[in-house]
Amino acid sequence: MSAQERRPETDGRDFADAMWSVPSYLLAGMAFYGGLGWLLDRWLDMSAFFPIGVVLGVVLAGYLAYRKFGR
């Protein structure tokens, strides 16, 4: 959609969609990579991969959200 075709009422909706998407990305990244870390912890009988997975998930999801909505 070009800038000429945009209507003011859709700009607010796009912003609201982005504001819901960013926290969703962060929570999904934490859950996915934290879950992978938890599985590795259980499989290898360690306790270091879960926190690493959670932090890695937040970082990667934050980067993804920045790339998608930061421009």
Side-chain angles (χ1 to χ4, degrees):
M1 180 180 273
S2 70
Q4 296 165 346
E5 296 174 0
R6 282 194 165 174
R7 294 175 297 198
E9 60 270 7
T10 60
D11 287 339
R13 197 171 351 180
D14 291 341
F15 178 74
D17 289 345
M19 291 307 295
W20 279 105
S21 295
V22 171
S24 299
Y25 280 19
L26 293 175
L27 288 173
M30 284 175 38
F32 180 74
Y33 287 105
L36 287 178
W38 179 78
L39 287 173
L40 279 173
D41 281 345
R42 300 286 274 181
W43 184 46
L44 299 174
D45 197 27
M46 297 178 67
S47 63
F49 289 110
F50 176 69
I52 291 170
V54 170
V55 171
L56 182 66
V58 169
V59 169
L60 291 176
Y63 175 72
L64 180 65
Y66 170 75
R67 292 283 296 173
K68 186 169 184 176
F69 300 110
R71 295 180 181 199

